[in-house]
Amino acid sequence: MATVKRDDRLTRSQSFVCVGFAGFFSKTVTSPLEVVKIKSQVGTFHSKRGFWQSFLIIYQNEGLRGFWKGNLASCLRLFPYNAVHLATYRKIVHLHMDELGFISQWRAIFAGGLAGVVAALATYPLEVAETRLIVQNCRQPTYIGVAHSLSKIYKNEGLLALYRGFSLTVLGAVPFSVGCYAVYMNLDKLWQEPPVRFTPLQNLINGCLAAGVAQTLSYPFETVKRKMQAQSARLPHFGGVDVHFTGMIDCFIQVIKHNGVLSLWNGLTANTIKIVPYFGLLFTCFEMCKQVCLYRNGYIISPLSYKLTPGVDQSLGPNELEEVKRHLKNRNFGSGDSSLRNRW
């Protein structure tokens, strides 16, 4: 998948903050497309007239604030999701490495998919809260904020309601991983050169392409998952879902029966359009945040330039570089003392 490239010149906490900030900003900017996508998947009345009309209907009924409903819940997921995903991914990769420390492309993608499932399990209640906040009627809200959503769902529907539809995350990870694998296995044919020579722009295009293919293949599972998250007998109009069902399999049956097979891809237009700006902003914001950290660590001369600091070994880690600076400072201080003693 399209992820920011790790830089060993950053500390773990700096990398974590940079990824979190980039994700927060890119999610917030592309939130209107996410809202339209989720409303289309659930099947609320906003999406009945097509993609472009959805924006107008949401604005007329809910105002500009309607395009950022659930965004806080989505952003709050970023930090725990990234932390769990990274820790799990490293553990799985370590287990599948050969004697030389290498891992195959397929195993790496499998590790990413499995790590994504574990991270989703840890943060799934926030995803349910996001869905409920997005599909609810703003003029007669059932939930007021993220914390109120979580507590009310738990109180009225029980703990399992916060994990309703999670099995679809596991099932959807299979076609998602297959899509990623199919794209990355053919990148050298697309660019007519080996992956090690790809430019940052090529890597961005590769990530967007992989995301588009993988998300399209796994999209029906996400559509059913969103419907299961939204539906509740305790909510007005059963949560705004366009079909009523009793479980995952029944949901697939009812959607196909009443709306046709293609309705499983409702909202795909918004999702596809979102890919390029989302990952473009993700990469750009990460690079900007990284430059500030590299300047602070002493690797570059300015946060506005990539010009390297003269005399600094770029292969050293932040802690190693700090040790070298401290050693040189102490040595210079000691030589200064000796020269003063010689004077006197």
Side-chain angles (χ1 to χ4, degrees), residues 308-332:
L308 304 179
T309 303
V312 173
D313 187 351
Q314 300 291 322
S315 66
L316 294 176
N319 295 329
E320 294 172 319
L321 182 60
E322 193 62 33
E323 282 293 325
V324 170
K325 287 181 180 179
R326 192 178 297 113
H327 174 72
L328 291 175
K329 184 178 180 180
N330 292 336
R331 191 175 68 176
N332 292 335

mmCIF file of all heavy atoms in Angstrom, residues 308-332:
data_model
loop_
_atom_site.group_PDB
_atom_site.id
_atom_site.type_symbol
_atom_site.label_atom_id
_atom_site.label_comp_id
_atom_site.label_asym_id
_atom_site.label_seq_id
_atom_site.Cartn_x
_atom_site.Cartn_y
_atom_site.Cartn_z
ATOM 1 N N LEU A 308 21.977 19.484 2.661
ATOM 2 C CA LEU A 308 22.527 18.777 3.813
ATOM 3 C C LEU A 308 23.512 19.649 4.584
ATOM 4 O O LEU A 308 24.199 20.494 4.005
ATOM 5 C CB LEU A 308 23.219 17.500 3.356
ATOM 6 C CG LEU A 308 22.363 16.515 2.541
ATOM 7 C CD1 LEU A 308 23.204 15.304 2.126
ATOM 8 C CD2 LEU A 308 21.154 16.059 3.338
ATOM 9 N N THR A 309 23.581 19.439 5.878
ATOM 10 C CA THR A 309 24.535 20.154 6.727
ATOM 11 C C THR A 309 25.941 19.646 6.426
ATOM 12 O O THR A 309 26.182 18.427 6.488
ATOM 13 C CB THR A 309 24.216 19.929 8.214
ATOM 14 O OG1 THR A 309 22.882 20.339 8.472
ATOM 15 C CG2 THR A 309 25.176 20.711 9.096
ATOM 16 N N PRO A 310 26.894 20.535 6.084
ATOM 17 C CA PRO A 310 28.266 20.097 5.755
ATOM 18 C C PRO A 310 28.916 19.367 6.931
ATOM 19 O O PRO A 310 28.791 19.771 8.085
ATOM 20 C CB PRO A 310 28.992 21.424 5.470
ATOM 21 C CG PRO A 310 27.904 22.395 5.132
ATOM 22 C CD PRO A 310 26.722 21.987 5.943
ATOM 23 N N GLY A 311 29.602 18.263 6.612
ATOM 24 C CA GLY A 311 30.348 17.539 7.626
ATOM 25 C C GLY A 311 29.536 16.571 8.464
ATOM 26 O O GLY A 311 30.097 15.927 9.363
ATOM 27 N N VAL A 312 28.239 16.444 8.205
ATOM 28 C CA VAL A 312 27.385 15.552 8.993
ATOM 29 C C VAL A 312 27.192 14.238 8.237
ATOM 30 O O VAL A 312 26.776 14.243 7.069
ATOM 31 C CB VAL A 312 26.019 16.197 9.284
ATOM 32 C CG1 VAL A 312 25.086 15.197 9.956
ATOM 33 C CG2 VAL A 312 26.186 17.420 10.173
ATOM 34 N N ASP A 313 27.495 13.136 8.895
ATOM 35 C CA ASP A 313 27.318 11.807 8.312
ATOM 36 C C ASP A 313 25.825 11.459 8.329
ATOM 37 O O ASP A 313 25.246 11.230 9.391
ATOM 38 C CB ASP A 313 28.117 10.781 9.118
ATOM 39 C CG ASP A 313 28.110 9.392 8.474
ATOM 40 O OD1 ASP A 313 27.357 9.197 7.505
ATOM 41 O OD2 ASP A 313 28.852 8.512 8.961
ATOM 42 N N GLN A 314 25.215 11.404 7.132
ATOM 43 C CA GLN A 314 23.776 11.175 7.025
ATOM 44 C C GLN A 314 23.375 9.741 7.350
ATOM 45 O O GLN A 314 22.187 9.437 7.500
ATOM 46 C CB GLN A 314 23.293 11.528 5.609
ATOM 47 C CG GLN A 314 23.545 12.971 5.210
ATOM 48 C CD GLN A 314 22.688 13.958 5.985
ATOM 49 O OE1 GLN A 314 21.523 13.695 6.273
ATOM 50 N NE2 GLN A 314 23.266 15.117 6.332
ATOM 51 N N SER A 315 24.367 8.846 7.473
ATOM 52 C CA SER A 315 24.054 7.455 7.791
ATOM 53 C C SER A 315 23.890 7.228 9.290
ATOM 54 O O SER A 315 23.417 6.176 9.717
ATOM 55 C CB SER A 315 25.144 6.525 7.257
ATOM 56 O OG SER A 315 26.372 6.757 7.926
ATOM 57 N N LEU A 316 24.268 8.219 10.091
ATOM 58 C CA LEU A 316 24.142 8.099 11.542
ATOM 59 C C LEU A 316 22.697 8.313 11.977
ATOM 60 O O LEU A 316 21.981 9.133 11.406
ATOM 61 C CB LEU A 316 25.034 9.132 12.246
ATOM 62 C CG LEU A 316 26.551 8.971 12.091
ATOM 63 C CD1 LEU A 316 27.259 10.129 12.769
ATOM 64 C CD2 LEU A 316 27.016 7.643 12.668
ATOM 65 N N GLY A 317 22.284 7.584 12.989
ATOM 66 C CA GLY A 317 20.969 7.801 13.563
ATOM 67 C C GLY A 317 20.973 9.040 14.440
ATOM 68 O O GLY A 317 22.044 9.570 14.781
ATOM 69 N N PRO A 318 19.801 9.542 14.831
ATOM 70 C CA PRO A 318 19.721 10.762 15.659
ATOM 71 C C PRO A 318 20.510 10.659 16.958
ATOM 72 O O PRO A 318 21.221 11.601 17.338
ATOM 73 C CB PRO A 318 18.223 10.907 15.935
ATOM 74 C CG PRO A 318 17.550 10.145 14.850
ATOM 75 C CD PRO A 318 18.461 9.022 14.523
ATOM 76 N N ASN A 319 20.412 9.530 17.654
ATOM 77 C CA ASN A 319 21.130 9.360 18.917
ATOM 78 C C ASN A 319 22.633 9.287 18.704
ATOM 79 O O ASN A 319 23.408 9.845 19.490
ATOM 80 C CB ASN A 319 20.638 8.100 19.637
ATOM 81 C CG ASN A 319 19.186 8.217 20.066
ATOM 82 O OD1 ASN A 319 18.694 9.298 20.358
ATOM 83 N ND2 ASN A 319 18.487 7.080 20.094
ATOM 84 N N GLU A 320 23.035 8.604 17.614
ATOM 85 C CA GLU A 320 24.460 8.517 17.302
ATOM 86 C C GLU A 320 25.028 9.883 16.953
ATOM 87 O O GLU A 320 26.128 10.243 17.390
ATOM 88 C CB GLU A 320 24.674 7.549 16.132
ATOM 89 C CG GLU A 320 24.321 6.101 16.435
ATOM 90 C CD GLU A 320 24.357 5.231 15.204
ATOM 91 O OE1 GLU A 320 23.899 5.692 14.133
ATOM 92 O OE2 GLU A 320 24.828 4.092 15.308
ATOM 93 N N LEU A 321 24.275 10.650 16.181
ATOM 94 C CA LEU A 321 24.718 11.993 15.800
ATOM 95 C C LEU A 321 24.839 12.892 17.026
ATOM 96 O O LEU A 321 25.781 13.682 17.145
ATOM 97 C CB LEU A 321 23.743 12.604 14.787
ATOM 98 C CG LEU A 321 24.105 13.997 14.254
ATOM 99 C CD1 LEU A 321 25.452 13.980 13.555
ATOM 100 C CD2 LEU A 321 23.015 14.488 13.280
ATOM 101 N N GLU A 322 23.912 12.764 17.953
ATOM 102 C CA GLU A 322 23.954 13.557 19.176
ATOM 103 C C GLU A 322 25.181 13.197 20.012
ATOM 104 O O GLU A 322 25.820 14.072 20.602
ATOM 105 C CB GLU A 322 22.668 13.313 19.988
ATOM 106 C CG GLU A 322 22.452 14.291 21.115
ATOM 107 C CD GLU A 322 22.292 15.720 20.647
ATOM 108 O OE1 GLU A 322 21.737 15.930 19.549
ATOM 109 O OE2 GLU A 322 22.737 16.627 21.382
ATOM 110 N N GLU A 323 25.522 11.902 20.036
ATOM 111 C CA GLU A 323 26.712 11.462 20.765
ATOM 112 C C GLU A 323 27.978 12.040 20.141
ATOM 113 O O GLU A 323 28.893 12.471 20.845
ATOM 114 C CB GLU A 323 26.788 9.931 20.766
ATOM 115 C CG GLU A 323 25.863 9.250 21.756
ATOM 116 C CD GLU A 323 26.252 9.535 23.189
ATOM 117 O OE1 GLU A 323 27.463 9.643 23.474
ATOM 118 O OE2 GLU A 323 25.341 9.699 24.022
ATOM 119 N N VAL A 324 28.043 12.043 18.806
ATOM 120 C CA VAL A 324 29.204 12.611 18.103
ATOM 121 C C VAL A 324 29.327 14.095 18.410
ATOM 122 O O VAL A 324 30.422 14.597 18.694
ATOM 123 C CB VAL A 324 29.072 12.381 16.578
ATOM 124 C CG1 VAL A 324 30.144 13.169 15.831
ATOM 125 C CG2 VAL A 324 29.180 10.910 16.249
ATOM 126 N N LYS A 325 28.217 14.824 18.374
ATOM 127 C CA LYS A 325 28.239 16.259 18.680
ATOM 128 C C LYS A 325 28.733 16.507 20.101
ATOM 129 O O LYS A 325 29.530 17.415 20.352
ATOM 130 C CB LYS A 325 26.831 16.846 18.509
ATOM 131 C CG LYS A 325 26.370 16.996 17.082
ATOM 132 C CD LYS A 325 24.975 17.600 17.048
ATOM 133 C CE LYS A 325 24.477 17.774 15.640
ATOM 134 N NZ LYS A 325 23.104 18.356 15.608
ATOM 135 N N ARG A 326 28.244 15.689 21.042
ATOM 136 C CA ARG A 326 28.638 15.848 22.440
ATOM 137 C C ARG A 326 30.129 15.553 22.627
ATOM 138 O O ARG A 326 30.826 16.266 23.360
ATOM 139 C CB ARG A 326 27.799 14.915 23.309
ATOM 140 C CG ARG A 326 27.914 15.203 24.802
ATOM 141 C CD ARG A 326 27.027 14.279 25.630
ATOM 142 N NE ARG A 326 25.613 14.464 25.328
ATOM 143 C CZ ARG A 326 24.846 13.573 24.745
ATOM 144 N NH1 ARG A 326 25.363 12.401 24.394
ATOM 145 N NH2 ARG A 326 23.569 13.814 24.517
ATOM 146 N N HIS A 327 30.596 14.524 21.905
ATOM 147 C CA HIS A 327 32.014 14.170 22.000
ATOM 148 C C HIS A 327 32.894 15.290 21.449
ATOM 149 O O HIS A 327 33.908 15.665 22.066
ATOM 150 C CB HIS A 327 32.271 12.870 21.230
ATOM 151 C CG HIS A 327 33.714 12.491 21.143
ATOM 152 N ND1 HIS A 327 34.425 12.009 22.233
ATOM 153 C CD2 HIS A 327 34.598 12.545 20.092
ATOM 154 C CE1 HIS A 327 35.676 11.776 21.860
ATOM 155 N NE2 HIS A 327 35.795 12.085 20.570
ATOM 156 N N LEU A 328 32.523 15.829 20.296
ATOM 157 C CA LEU A 328 33.300 16.910 19.690
ATOM 158 C C LEU A 328 33.278 18.167 20.556
ATOM 159 O O LEU A 328 34.290 18.864 20.692
ATOM 160 C CB LEU A 328 32.741 17.232 18.295
ATOM 161 C CG LEU A 328 32.949 16.145 17.223
ATOM 162 C CD1 LEU A 328 32.238 16.542 15.935
ATOM 163 C CD2 LEU A 328 34.438 15.928 16.965
ATOM 164 N N LYS A 329 32.131 18.433 21.151
ATOM 165 C CA LYS A 329 32.000 19.602 22.012
ATOM 166 C C LYS A 329 32.907 19.472 23.236
ATOM 167 O O LYS A 329 33.602 20.418 23.625
ATOM 168 C CB LYS A 329 30.553 19.768 22.452
ATOM 169 C CG LYS A 329 30.300 21.019 23.271
ATOM 170 C CD LYS A 329 28.821 21.129 23.621
ATOM 171 C CE LYS A 329 28.568 22.396 24.452
ATOM 172 N NZ LYS A 329 27.133 22.538 24.811
ATOM 173 N N ASN A 330 32.925 18.276 23.845
ATOM 174 C CA ASN A 330 33.772 18.053 25.010
ATOM 175 C C ASN A 330 35.249 18.126 24.650
ATOM 176 O O ASN A 330 36.067 18.638 25.414
ATOM 177 C CB ASN A 330 33.460 16.690 25.638
ATOM 178 C CG ASN A 330 32.079 16.659 26.269
ATOM 179 O OD1 ASN A 330 31.531 17.701 26.633
ATOM 180 N ND2 ASN A 330 31.497 15.452 26.398
ATOM 181 N N ARG A 331 35.587 17.582 23.451
ATOM 182 C CA ARG A 331 36.981 17.606 23.022
ATOM 183 C C ARG A 331 37.464 19.034 22.774
ATOM 184 O O ARG A 331 38.556 19.415 23.177
ATOM 185 C CB ARG A 331 37.158 16.764 21.759
ATOM 186 C CG ARG A 331 38.631 16.520 21.399
ATOM 187 C CD ARG A 331 38.751 15.597 20.219
ATOM 188 N NE ARG A 331 38.250 16.239 19.000
ATOM 189 C CZ ARG A 331 38.301 15.678 17.784
ATOM 190 N NH1 ARG A 331 38.797 14.451 17.651
ATOM 191 N NH2 ARG A 331 37.824 16.309 16.731
ATOM 192 N N ASN A 332 36.602 19.811 22.108
ATOM 193 C CA ASN A 332 36.959 21.210 21.855
ATOM 194 C C ASN A 332 37.074 21.989 23.156
ATOM 195 O O ASN A 332 37.935 22.846 23.327
ATOM 196 C CB ASN A 332 35.925 21.865 20.947
ATOM 197 C CG ASN A 332 35.965 21.302 19.544
ATOM 198 O OD1 ASN A 332 36.998 20.790 19.098
ATOM 199 N ND2 ASN A 332 34.843 21.387 18.837
#
